[in-house]
Amino acid sequence: MTVQKLVIGNWKMNGSIAQLRAFADVALRDVRGCEAALCVPHPLLHAAQAVFGATRLRWGAQDCSAEEEGAFTGEVSARMIRELGARYVIVGHSERRAGHGETDGQIAAKAQRALAAGLTPIVCIGENAEERDGEQTAVVLRRQLLQLMRVLGRTLASVVLAYEPLWAIGSGNTAAPGLIDDTHGAIADMLAFHAGLSAHTVRILYGGSVHPRNAGAIMTSSLVSGVLVGGASLEPTDFMEIWKAATRCSAIAPQRLAPITATSRG
Ligand code: PGA
């Protein structure tokens, strides 16, 4: 069972080489136990490799092409990202689903391409406020996951999922830990039912208004493998605080992290 938490920062279209250096300085001074990575805009990947190479901080990208290579102007391939030492790539973020019309099929194809290139895809799933209010969360998550399962098959086990309810992103309305647990439990049940994957086989992060004050409470649960952090990942001290919280939660003995079963979840 995975007890090491994972912290992923999503810089979105923010940041600079100077900001990468500021993070490297802090990360070098303040080494943390579990894994953390910053997903930066493509033009910053090369600098991330140069400045984070000597630190425990890893780096990744925020999107990749579903194609391997060729006449796709403006696209960036998973292999190019991997060549710059990246370990992760976010795919299917709600801002790309909404702003670029990305479909579940395209997202699954991107995840497949990322895996083939040796990257770990972080696949974002989640419902919007209307779907939540209409009690459609499970339907939406199942639809998003089924396509992924169909395309990836057993290799789904190598993907990291990020449950990011759209109403929690950038809004300050963090989902309550109980709701996060219930939803992560439901996702684990779907993975078990439809793909035969036992609990904890696939890491499931939570994302949406995570900050230093709530990260520890969210990550205490065994159902939460870590966090995907937007706004708070732009500030080195905030990001380090979240990383510290993840390290503390990773150190909790496995028996205190016994998975919540369907019955105990009620
Ligand atoms: P937020 O963003 O932490 O600023 O809410 C999360 C995300 O969009 O991945």
Side-chain angles (χ1 to χ4, degrees), residues 8-10 12 90 93-95 124 162 164-166 168-172 206-211 228-233:
I8 303 289
N10 175 11
K12 309 193 179 186
I90 298 171
H93 190 281
S94 58
E95 286 154 16
C124 300
E164 292 210 310
L166 272 66
I169 294 176
S171 64
Y206 166 77
S209 297
V210 174
H211 51 71
L228 177 54
V229 187
S233 73

Side-chain angles (χ1 to χ4, degrees), residues 9 17 30 35 45 53 63 66-67 76 99 108 118 122 128 133 138 144-145 179 181 188 210 219 229 256-257:
I17 294 175
D30 202 355
E35 182 146 321
L45 281 171
D63 183 38
E67 306 293 339
V76 174
I122 299 166
N128 63 29
D133 296 343
Q144 293 172 336
L145 284 173
L179 175 72
D181 266 16
V210 174
M219 281 186 280
V229 187
R256 284 194 52 206
L257 290 167

Side-chain angles (χ1 to χ4, degrees), residues 217-231:
I218 293 169
M219 281 186 280
T220 307
S221 168
S222 66
L223 293 164
V224 179
S225 313
V227 284
L228 177 54
V229 187

Side-chain angles (χ1 to χ4, degrees), residues 13 19 31 33 59 70 74 87-88 103 115 129 131 144 150 158-159 161-162 168 182 213 235 237 247-248:
M13 200 173 70
Q19 207 165 347
V31 177
W59 56 97
R87 193 168 283 183
Y88 300 98
T103 63
L115 284 171
E131 290 158 347
Q144 293 172 336
R150 255 196 294 276
S158 307
V159 160
L161 292 174
D182 283 350
R213 292 170 307 289
E235 183 49 55
T237 51
T247 303
R248 280 196 301 275

Side-chain angles (χ1 to χ4, degrees), residues 4-5 32 34 54 96 109 139-140 147 170 177 198-199 220 231 243 261:
Q4 284 286 314
K5 305 287 180 181
R32 288 292 118 209
C34 62
R96 294 207 61 87
V139 174
V140 172
Q147 189 66 22
S198 56
T220 307
W243 196 356
T261 60

